[in-house]
Amino acid sequence: SAVISQKPSRDICQRGTSLTIQCQVDSQVTMMFWYRQQPGQSLTLIATANQGSEATYESGFVIDKFPISRPNLTFSTLTVSNMSPEDSSIYLCSVELNDYEQYFGPGTRLTVT
Amino acid sequence: QKEVEQNSGPLSVPEGAIASLNCTYSDRGSQSFFWYRQYSGKSPELIMSIYSNGDKEDGRFTAQLNKASQYVSLLIRDSQPSDSATYLCAGLSRSSGGFKTIFGAGTRLFVKA
C-alpha cells in the first residue's frame, strides 16, 4: 500500500474564493486521481492526474474550475476555483498501485459559505 | 454507460452472522473487481481485489466473482460491530484513455451487538 496525506483536512471558505488541496504520497506513483464525495453518496471521479501530462477530466468537470498540477511522481494539487456552496463536499485523492488497486488519502472536507 | 450497481441497504445482521454484500456490473469486458470499506467520516480503504472466477478468501472476508452472471459478492463471516460501514464495489473497465475504475454507490452494513 501507500501512505497518502492531504492538506488541508478541512476548510471553510467564502464563495468566490479558491482553495488548493495538496496530496502527498510516500512513494513514486504514476496514476493519481481526484474524487469528490457528497455526504452519503458514492465517489465521483473529477480527473486523472499523470505526471508529465495534462490531467484528464471527466464529463462535467473542467480545467478552469478544477485546475490540477502534477509536478512529480509523489505530489499533486487540486484547486477548486471560484467556489460556490454547491462545491461543498469531501475531496479525495487516490493513487493506483499494483493491478489497478487504488489507495485513498484521508480527504479534505470543504464547506463553502 | 458502464455501471456497477449495489443495493444501498442498510443491511442489518446480528453479531456473529454472515453478511452477504452483492454487486452487479454492466461491462462484460471488466476483468478486475475490488471491495472497499468506508467508515463514516473516513476515506475508502481497499479490502479485497478479485480477478478470476470463483472465491478468494482473506481472513473473515470472501470475495466471489461470477463473470458469466456479471456479479461480485463479498461475504463477511463472524460479523462484528466494527464491520459496520459502507462497502463499495468497484470494477475496472476499458475507457478511451486506458482503464477506469467504476465505483458502485455502496451498501451500508450494520452489525448489531
Side-chain angles (χ1 to χ4, degrees), chain A residues 37 42 58 99 101-102 105, chain B residues 36 38 43 49 51 92 100 104:
Chain A
Q37 187 175 36
S42 189
E58 296 298 304
D99 297 323
E101 296 177 346
Q102 287 192 33
Chain B
Y36 291 83
Q38 186 172 25
S43 60
S49 54
Y51 308 102
L92 189 68
K100 180 179 175 181

Side-chain angles (χ1 to χ4, degrees), chain A residues 27 62 66 75 77-78 82 89 95 105:
Chain A
S27 58
V62 295
F66 298 100
F75 188 78
T77 67
L78 169 75
N82 188 25
S89 188
V95 302

Side-chain angles (χ1 to χ4, degrees), chain A residues 3-5 9 12-13 22 28 30 40-42 62 66 70-71 76 83 88 92 94-96 100-101 103 105:
Chain A
V3 177
I4 306 166
S5 60
S9 59
I12 301 173
C13 301
Q22 298 178 6
Q28 294 186 337
T30 301
Q41 304 294 315
S42 189
V62 295
F66 298 100
R70 182 79 201 274
S76 179
M83 288 184 285
S88 297
L92 294 153
S94 75
V95 302
E96 185 178 275
Y100 302 100
E101 296 177 346
Y103 295 86

Side-chain angles (χ1 to χ4, degrees), chain B residues 1-44:
Chain B
Q1 182 78 0
K2 297 172 182 175
E3 295 181 334
V4 172
E5 298 197 359
Q6 300 180 252
N7 187 320
S8 62
L11 173 66
S12 184
V13 301
E15 183 175 0
I18 295 175
S20 179
L21 304 163
N22 301 308
C23 165
T24 60
Y25 59 95
S26 63
D27 181 8
R28 188 169 285 279
S30 291
Q31 298 294 317
S32 305
F33 300 88
F34 311 92
W35 283 99
Y36 291 83
R37 177 176 61 198
Q38 186 172 25
Y39 291 115
S40 180
K42 301 295 185 182
S43 60

Side-chain angles (χ1 to χ4, degrees), chain B residues 58-92:
Chain B
D58 184 0
R60 295 188 296 113
F61 297 97
T62 298
Q64 299 175 318
L65 174 58
N66 184 321
K67 291 183 180 180
S69 300
Q70 295 179 239
Y71 84 77
V72 192
S73 62
L74 180 69
L75 302 179
I76 306 175
R77 290 182 299 281
D78 188 23
S79 295
Q80 302 297 309
S82 59
D83 295 325
S84 298
T86 296
Y87 289 80
L88 302 173
C89 174
L92 189 68

